Amino acid sequence: MSQKESLNKLLEEQLPVVYSFLSKLGKRIYFPSSGIMAQAKEAKSASSNASIGIALNDDATSLSLSGVSSRIDLHSSKIFPYASSFGLQEFRENWVGQMLKKNPSLSFDNCTIPVVTSGLTHGLFICAQMFFGGETEILMPDLYWGNYKLIFEVNVGAKFVYFPFFVEQKFNLSALKKELFSLDKAVLLLNFPNNPGGYSLLDDEQDNLVELILNYANSGRQLLLICDDAYYGLFYESNVAKESLFARLADLHENIVVVKVDGPTKEEYVWGLRVGSIVVGNKNMSNASAKVIEDKLAGLVRSSVSNVSNLSQNLLVELYRSENYFIEKKQAFELLQSRYLEVKKWLNNNSDHKKYFEALPFNSGYFMCIKLNEGLDCEFVRQELLKKHSVGLISIKQNNLLRVAYSCLRKDEIKKVFEAIYFVCKLHKV
Amino acid sequence: MSQKESLNKLLEEQLPVVYSFLSKLGKRIYFPSSGIMAQAKEAKSASSNASIGIALNDDATSLSLSGVSSRIDLHSSKIFPYASSFGLQEFRENWVGQMLKKNPSLSFDNCTIPVVTSGLTHGLFICAQMFFGGETEILMPDLYWGNYKLIFEVNVGAKFVYFPFFVEQKFNLSALKKELFSLDKAVLLLNFPNNPGGYSLLDDEQDNLVELILNYANSGRQLLLICDDAYYGLFYESNVAKESLFARLADLHENIVVVKVDGPTKEEYVWGLRVGSIVVGNKNMSNASAKVIEDKLAGLVRSSVSNVSNLSQNLLVELYRSENYFIEKKQAFELLQSRYLEVKKWLNNNSDHKKYFEALPFNSGYFMCIKLNEGLDCEFVRQELLKKHSVGLISIKQNNLLRVAYSCLRKDEIKKVFEAIYFVCKLHKV
């Protein structure tokens, strides 16, 4: 039996629900158990190790040029060699620790250990390659990151089915319920805090969603839920659910498979370093079936990027070790929260903005969205703001929205930006 | 007309040969001209820029935590923000400059500007997604990097057709000719210096190959050639062709499309930084058709990893600016060349090794391969070497080879390693 066949056999026997969600590629992929990587791993402690395609100095340190090494205060072994396709072990352990701290109800008993991806996008892409093919329909809210289209629809060939995100300023659970229960088997993609909306579920909304999903599973139907937790942790209100849906659902029911894609990118303010993570959870996951899934995910990493920047992963390990990590992270949170509150304040103090636009509900993350009233076109308003007021926003045509990344604005700028939006809307309202 | 349709229309009209090689995904993919990235680019110089999903300090520098920033001697703008999906402009310009210097006969008049990839693997993967689908047969030598299988066959679903690399210690041009001319339209994948073989074409071999390809094109048939130039530049013999095949073929004939995948990974000894490049060339390429191809490649980057480490790209820009770059690179080359010569010396001085194995021809790169004689199994010998002699090599079962990365061995270690190989082979030869 080939390695691929034995991986699939194990998964089909021990965790048929995950196997049933695999795409054709998800079934094909494996991490070569006897290839270069596996042999190089065995050779790691050989006194003469000529297994791997790098170059060493005579003292067995990595060959390197000082134009690079002199810029970085880390040992060369943390910069130049390749990291494993599974990810740097220390980073993976740190990331598990972070997840456990943030999600007290999570245990790692029935989910995989993080496989490190080249940023959040790569985590979503790996997930898409693993589970979605030309025939997959993905149910998701009508507020979503624009790049989802390119990742899931254009590249992987899946198809989105939308439900309306909000009803009466709340998460539209009944719309989701209607769509979900029309399906015999479902794939659901949720992103909290949401990009572009900046909304996270409130405690009671999350409870209701968990109950809904449990009911679906109890009806004998299988669900694959993708949690895009890119902006995790930036929750500015006390009634926002603080745990990831992943933590609530990973151990809930044998029919529920949950994938968590997250990473330090937004949480640790390291956008340009390109480090993300993907984990998969299911109530019946054993160590053996978890290993099969990790192997398949690492096979997708190996076949798309080989491995993720060793330097970036080591910088993050150093970050978690650094003395000021908690205090600086708290300061950063408070800075962003103060901007959030400033936006809220302007909206409350200037309620006549509702003649021209309304703010969609928001409570977390980097963004908030403005829904323009009829007679105003978001792309036109965006261009006017840019040309006449030197204010840069993002327009989202399908919902006639403007996305404001208040994470980029000084408190004193926020008033100016919203007044400019108000001014342009007032001037051009038909 | 959608953006995708107008890109395809332009390419089909202006450069039908490239269009005809696109995979289904290659036809689908585009870089959104009105999406977040495009709008954020427009907003770049806005005095209040709230367009992009990062966070800024009140002084408009990137928010960052000192546990990361204190380790790197670069301005925060070169570490934390996102790089473009096309790549960092300064790096792309540097890389063009590097290519021109290394390939005097190359001009960039009829090829694309480099799109930056997350390492060489990602360049190969992007190339595979752009051009190969389930139906593609890829012609290539029977000595190839193991990960090709995972990238091209398992992930993208293409199929390899092999020809024997060597005949009588030379590149087997006639075997290639036979396979090539049996095809009405061909995809060819070549890797010089070769991994695992460490062989590059000699000047006369390259001339003959170029002539062969020209004859194929002149017969009215179309060829897509992928040049994997990962180990470019490490040429240890004077009669080795010093220019990439890409430079020889990019401007040669309208029926020849050439893709060059390369990057600093091996050339600048920065394996863990994950920076690569992909360019496409064809005699009839115009600026407009080049732009379409760049857009499609960047769309594949955006949909798989979003963008490549800004830090890594900036470190390389600094490297090219650094005072000692040329002298250190020369020293590194000389170090590797001295090891190459030591391997050659051992083989010459110990010709009775031929009772047990022969060295395949090698003249460049990091590696050389040993072909074991009948009665010796490469995987068994590898394990014996590891267990009994603490020597770590890679076994390649399909050709009964051992790959030796002499780039990792001190000169004085090389003799010891080859004596150990000799000893184990002698002991176990059936």
Side-chain angles (χ1 to χ4, degrees):
Chain A
M1 201 186 298
S2 73
Q3 193 192 347
K4 178 187 83 176
E5 286 162 349
S6 59
L7 288 180
N8 285 339
K9 186 163 179 283
L10 190 151
L11 204 59
E12 199 173 2
E13 286 171 5
Q14 296 198 6
L15 209 60
V17 58
V18 170
Y19 183 79
S20 80
F21 276 111
L22 291 180
S23 67
K24 282 181 198 166
L25 171 54
K27 292 200 172 92
R28 282 204 304 272
I29 198 72
Y30 60 96
F31 192 83
S33 62
S34 60
I36 296 174
M37 290 296 101
Q39 295 184 31
K41 202 174 167 189
E42 286 178 33
K44 223 162 184 178
S45 57
S47 54
S48 292
N49 181 3
S51 64
I52 192 85
I54 64 169
L56 299 179
N57 289 311
D58 280 348
D59 65 359
T61 58
S62 299
L63 196 63
S64 66
L65 305 178
S66 66
V68 175
S69 57
S70 67
R71 296 273 173 180
I72 308 163
D73 177 22
L74 280 177
H75 189 270
S76 68
S77 64
K78 300 187 172 187
I79 307 168
F80 297 107
Y82 293 112
S84 154
S85 294
F86 291 82
L88 183 73
Q89 195 53 32
E90 296 94 310
F91 173 74
R92 299 171 82 194
E93 286 164 12
N94 266 287
W95 197 243
V96 167
Q98 292 280 334
M99 276 197 228
L100 291 173
K101 198 177 295 171
K102 295 165 190 166
N103 297 282
S105 62
L106 182 66
S107 83
F108 267 83
D109 294 341
N110 53 354
C111 62
T112 61
I113 299 297
V115 168
V116 178
T117 61
S118 190
L120 265 289
T121 301
H122 191 229
L124 294 168
F125 178 66
I126 291 295
C127 169
Q129 286 214 314
M130 181 88 158
F131 295 111
F132 308 147
E135 64 294 334
T136 319
E137 292 199 338
I138 303 173
L139 184 57
M140 62 180 219
D142 62 356
L143 279 177
Y144 57 90
W145 182 36
N147 201 24
Y148 277 8
K149 261 197 172 323
L150 219 57
I151 300 168
F152 293 102
E153 289 199 323
V154 180
N155 195 313
V156 176
K159 204 180 143 9
F160 292 146
V161 177
Y162 306 105
F163 66 91
F165 197 117
F166 292 114
V167 61
E168 292 172 1
Q169 310 289 310
K170 300 271 284 175
F171 181 70
N172 196 339
L173 195 73
S174 63
L176 168 57
K177 183 179 177 181
K178 199 180 143 202
E179 291 291 344
L180 188 61
F181 278 80
S182 75
L183 301 169
D184 291 335
K185 180 170 179 158
V187 173
L188 180 61
L189 170 54
L190 294 172
N191 165 225
F192 302 116
N194 176 257
N195 175 4
Y199 190 78
S200 291
L201 294 178
L202 306 184
D203 285 319
D204 61 327
E205 290 177 322
Q206 193 185 67
D207 289 344
N208 293 337
L209 176 57
V210 168
E211 198 189 321
L212 177 74
I213 289 174
L214 183 60
N215 287 341
Y216 186 79
N218 277 331
S219 75
R221 288 176 281 188
Q222 298 175 329
L223 175 79
L224 172 65
L225 170 66
I226 318 297
C227 301
D228 173 354
D229 287 351
Y231 295 84
Y232 181 87
L234 294 165
F235 305 121
Y236 306 126
E237 301 283 355
S238 60
N239 61 345
V240 170
K242 302 295 187 300
E243 287 202 80
S244 167
L245 268 173
F246 180 83
R248 302 284 306 270
L249 295 170
D251 192 23
L252 198 63
H253 195 288
E254 60 178 11
N255 285 344
I256 303 171
V257 180
V258 207
V259 179
K260 180 174 168 63
V261 176
D262 60 10
T265 306
K266 311 282 185 181
E267 291 187 46
E268 317 293 7
Y269 312 104
V270 289
W271 312 280
L273 295 193
R274 316 313 299 137
V275 179
S277 152
I278 181 168
V279 292
V280 180
N282 174 266
K283 191 177 176 61
N284 287 347
M285 196 177 290
S286 62
N287 286 345
S289 52
K291 185 73 182 66
V292 170
I293 297 168
E294 287 162 25
D295 273 10
K296 282 178 176 283
L297 294 171
L300 290 170
V301 171
R302 174 108 176 117
S303 65
S304 57
V305 301
S306 271
N307 48 68
V308 173
S309 168
N310 201 6
L311 170 58
S312 293
Q313 293 182 73
N314 273 301
L315 284 169
L316 287 158
V317 171
E318 295 300 329
L319 173 68
Y320 295 127
R321 265 189 211 137
S322 68
E323 216 178 329
N324 296 325
Y325 172 60
F326 289 106
I327 193 162
E328 288 184 22
K329 198 154 171 199
K330 189 159 171 281
Q331 285 166 350
F333 174 83
E334 284 165 359
L335 180 69
L336 295 184
Q337 189 176 37
S338 73
R339 294 170 183 177
Y340 162 80
L341 292 170
E342 192 69 14
V343 176
K344 285 271 169 184
K345 191 170 116 189
W346 189 91
L347 292 166
N348 286 334
N349 291 351
N350 299 274
S351 58
D352 59 336
H353 72 265
K354 291 179 183 170
K355 282 188 264 179
Y356 309 108
F357 58 83
E358 61 160 340
L360 296 187
F362 67 109
N363 53 27
S364 52
Y366 286 15
F367 309 115
M368 57 83 66
C369 277
I370 283 169
K371 170 111 184 138
L372 299 184
N373 291 353
E374 267 182 55
L376 284 165
D377 173 70
C378 65
E379 176 58 15
F380 176 82
V381 173
R382 180 186 78 85
Q383 290 189 15
E384 284 292 301
L385 280 164
L386 192 57
K387 279 182 263 175
K388 309 275 171 65
H389 301 267
S390 201
V391 167
L393 304 180
I394 297 291
S395 69
I396 302 170
K397 284 183 207 169
Q398 63 265 36
N399 324 60
N400 203 26
L401 297 178
L402 289 171
R403 186 187 81 175
V404 183
Y406 58 81
S407 57
C408 294
L409 298 175
R410 289 190 316 275
K411 252 176 85 174
D412 65 286
E413 249 178 318
I414 286 170
K415 192 177 167 216
K416 202 196 79 182
V417 165
F418 278 83
E419 280 173 356
I421 299 170
Y422 180 84
F423 180 85
V424 169
C425 288
K426 190 173 177 181
L427 195 65
H428 294 285
K429 176 84 157 72
V430 181
Chain B
M1 201 185 297
S2 73
Q3 193 192 347
K4 178 188 82 176
E5 286 162 350
S6 59
L7 288 180
N8 285 339
K9 186 163 179 284
L10 190 150
L11 203 59
E12 198 173 3
E13 285 171 6
Q14 296 198 6
L15 209 60
V17 59
V18 170
Y19 183 79
S20 80
F21 276 112
L22 291 180
S23 67
K24 282 181 197 165
L25 171 54
K27 292 200 173 92
R28 282 203 304 271
I29 198 72
Y30 61 95
F31 192 83
S33 61
S34 60
I36 295 175
M37 290 296 101
Q39 295 184 31
K41 201 174 169 190
E42 286 178 34
K44 223 163 183 177
S45 57
S47 55
S48 292
N49 182 3
S51 64
I52 191 86
I54 64 169
L56 299 179
N57 289 311
D58 280 349
D59 65 0
T61 57
S62 299
L63 196 62
S64 66
L65 305 178
S66 66
V68 176
S69 57
S70 67
R71 296 273 173 179
I72 309 162
D73 177 22
L74 280 177
H75 189 270
S76 68
S77 64
K78 300 187 172 186
I79 307 168
F80 297 107
Y82 293 112
S84 154
S85 295
F86 291 82
L88 182 73
Q89 195 53 32
E90 296 94 310
F91 173 75
R92 299 171 82 194
E93 286 164 12
N94 267 287
W95 197 244
V96 168
Q98 292 281 333
M99 276 197 228
L100 291 173
K101 198 177 294 171
K102 295 165 191 167
N103 297 282
S105 62
L106 181 66
S107 83
F108 267 84
D109 295 341
N110 53 355
C111 62
T112 61
I113 299 297
V115 168
V116 178
T117 62
S118 190
L120 265 289
T121 301
H122 191 229
L124 294 168
F125 177 66
I126 291 295
C127 169
Q129 286 214 314
M130 181 88 158
F131 295 111
F132 308 148
E135 64 294 335
T136 319
E137 291 199 339
I138 303 172
L139 184 57
M140 62 180 217
D142 62 355
L143 279 177
Y144 57 89
W145 182 36
N147 201 24
Y148 277 8
K149 261 197 172 323
L150 219 57
I151 300 168
F152 293 103
E153 288 199 324
V154 180
N155 196 313
V156 177
K159 204 180 144 9
F160 291 146
V161 177
Y162 306 105
F163 66 92
F165 197 117
F166 292 115
V167 61
E168 291 172 3
Q169 310 289 309
K170 301 271 285 176
F171 181 70
N172 196 339
L173 196 72
S174 64
L176 168 57
K177 184 179 177 181
K178 199 180 143 204
E179 291 291 343
L180 188 62
F181 278 78
S182 74
L183 301 169
D184 290 335
K185 180 169 179 159
V187 173
L188 180 61
L189 170 54
L190 294 172
N191 165 225
F192 302 116
N194 177 258
N195 175 4
Y199 190 77
S200 291
L201 294 178
L202 306 184
D203 285 319
D204 61 328
E205 290 177 321
Q206 193 185 68
D207 290 344
N208 294 337
L209 176 57
V210 169
E211 199 189 322
L212 177 75
I213 289 174
L214 183 60
N215 288 342
Y216 186 78
N218 277 331
S219 75
R221 288 177 281 188
Q222 298 175 330
L223 175 79
L224 172 65
L225 170 66
I226 317 297
C227 301
D228 173 354
D229 287 352
Y231 295 84
Y232 181 86
L234 293 165
F235 305 122
Y236 306 126
E237 300 283 355
S238 59
N239 61 346
V240 170
K242 302 296 187 300
E243 287 202 81
S244 167
L245 268 173
F246 180 83
R248 303 283 306 270
L249 295 169
D251 193 23
L252 197 64
H253 195 289
E254 59 177 11
N255 285 343
I256 303 171
V257 181
V258 208
V259 179
K260 180 174 168 62
V261 176
D262 60 10
T265 306
K266 310 283 185 180
E267 291 188 47
E268 317 294 8
Y269 312 104
V270 289
W271 312 279
L273 295 192
R274 315 314 299 138
V275 179
S277 152
I278 181 168
V279 292
V280 181
N282 174 266
K283 192 177 175 61
N284 288 346
M285 196 177 290
S286 63
N287 286 345
S289 51
K291 185 73 182 67
V292 170
I293 296 168
E294 287 162 25
D295 273 10
K296 283 178 175 285
L297 293 171
L300 290 170
V301 171
R302 174 106 176 119
S303 65
S304 58
V305 301
S306 271
N307 48 68
V308 173
S309 169
N310 201 7
L311 170 58
S312 292
Q313 293 182 72
N314 273 301
L315 284 169
L316 287 158
V317 171
E318 295 301 328
L319 173 69
Y320 295 127
R321 265 188 212 139
S322 68
E323 217 179 327
N324 295 326
Y325 172 60
F326 289 106
I327 192 163
E328 288 183 22
K329 198 156 169 195
K330 189 159 170 282
Q331 284 165 350
F333 174 83
E334 284 165 359
L335 180 69
L336 295 183
Q337 189 176 38
S338 73
R339 295 172 183 176
Y340 162 80
L341 292 170
E342 192 69 14
V343 176
K344 285 271 170 188
K345 192 170 117 189
W346 189 91
L347 292 166
N348 286 335
N349 291 351
N350 299 276
S351 58
D352 59 337
H353 72 264
K354 291 179 183 168
K355 281 187 265 179
Y356 309 108
F357 58 83
E358 62 161 339
L360 297 187
F362 67 108
N363 53 27
S364 52
Y366 286 14
F367 309 115
M368 58 84 66
C369 277
I370 283 170
K371 169 112 183 136
L372 299 185
N373 291 354
E374 268 182 54
L376 284 165
D377 173 70
C378 65
E379 176 58 16
F380 176 81
V381 173
R382 180 185 78 85
Q383 289 189 15
E384 284 292 301
L385 281 163
L386 192 57
K387 279 182 263 174
K388 309 274 171 65
H389 301 267
S390 201
V391 167
L393 304 180
I394 297 292
S395 69
I396 302 171
K397 284 183 208 170
Q398 63 265 35
N399 324 60
N400 203 24
L401 297 177
L402 288 171
R403 186 187 81 175
V404 183
Y406 58 81
S407 57
C408 294
L409 297 175
R410 289 189 317 274
K411 252 176 86 175
D412 65 286
E413 250 178 318
I414 286 170
K415 191 176 167 220
K416 202 196 80 182
V417 165
F418 278 83
E419 280 174 356
I421 299 170
Y422 180 84
F423 180 85
V424 170
C425 287
K426 190 173 177 181
L427 194 65
H428 294 286
K429 176 86 156 73
V430 182

